[in-house]
Amino acid sequence: MNTHQGSEVNHITDIIQVMNSGIDFYQKAQEKVEDPAIGALFQRMIDARKVSVERLQPYAINEKGEREDGSSFAVEARRAYTALLTTFTSHNDSTYVKELEEVEDKTLVEIKTAMDKPQPADCEAALAKTLLTMQSCHAEMSRMQKH
């Protein structure tokens, strides 16, 4: 059921694609890291993204007529780059943290882009809440990268 009929949303599917790619990237990285603290951090990032994706799905349905389950090419390319890079370094955990912080940067850019476009009030509120969640994730990844 389209609960937001008559109110056009913009750029929501792009955010969800980036988040879906991030979830996949975190899950794959989580399998490879050795430090349990980093693994736990990655799980928190996965959980935050899943909640945010579900928060935005009603607006994606409004935007394209169905759930957005795709992923972003830019994030997929970064994952391939990271996989290649980790074959040449012995510091895999720190490589993943660095690359995933950049995924967080990309997510924030996409959310801010959507917030700069006209949105229905309920979508703006969902975006604002999502931005706060993702800013918190980004800050946690930045702290982990500095350690």
Side-chain angles (χ1 to χ4, degrees):
M1 180 174 143
N2 187 347
T3 58
H4 310 285
Q5 199 161 358
S7 300
E8 185 177 332
V9 298
N10 296 287
H11 204 71
I12 303 303
T13 57
D14 297 309
I15 295 168
I16 292 174
Q17 287 174 2
V18 169
M19 287 190 176
N20 284 341
S21 292
I23 290 167
D24 189 45
F25 196 173
Y26 277 112
Q27 287 170 334
K28 292 206 177 7
Q30 192 178 36
E31 294 169 5
K32 299 190 188 304
V33 295
E34 295 177 15
D35 184 336
I38 294 176
L41 169 67
F42 289 1
Q43 187 60 53
R44 289 191 299 277
M45 300 299 122
I46 290 166
D47 294 344
R49 284 171 174 275
K50 285 181 177 180
V51 167
S52 294
V53 164
E54 287 311 310
R55 180 185 306 127
L56 295 175
Q57 279 295 359
Y59 307 103
I61 292 168
N62 180 294
E63 187 175 1
K64 87 173 206 185
E66 61 188 18
R67 284 182 61 87
E68 177 55 65
D69 294 317
S71 59
S72 167
F73 174 74
V75 177
E76 299 299 326
R78 180 159 296 288
R79 184 177 63 206
Y81 166 76
T82 302
L84 179 64
L85 192 62
T86 56
T87 62
F88 298 111
T89 180
S90 61
H91 299 93
N92 291 355
D93 289 7
S94 61
T95 300
Y96 280 114
V97 170
K98 178 182 181 297
E99 292 303 314
L100 285 164
E101 187 194 8
E102 292 185 28
V103 170
E104 294 301 328
D105 289 339
K106 171 76 171 148
T107 302
L108 291 173
V109 166
E110 292 299 327
I111 295 168
K112 289 174 183 175
T113 297
M115 292 179 81
D116 287 342
K117 296 176 185 256
Q119 306 285 4
D122 55 343
C123 183
E124 282 183 14
L127 285 167
K129 191 169 186 175
T130 300
L131 180 64
L132 288 174
T133 300
M134 292 299 108
Q135 285 173 328
S136 174
C137 289
H138 184 269
E140 194 170 357
M141 287 299 291
S142 292
R143 281 191 301 276
M144 182 63 82
Q145 185 178 358
K146 290 175 183 159
H147 286 91

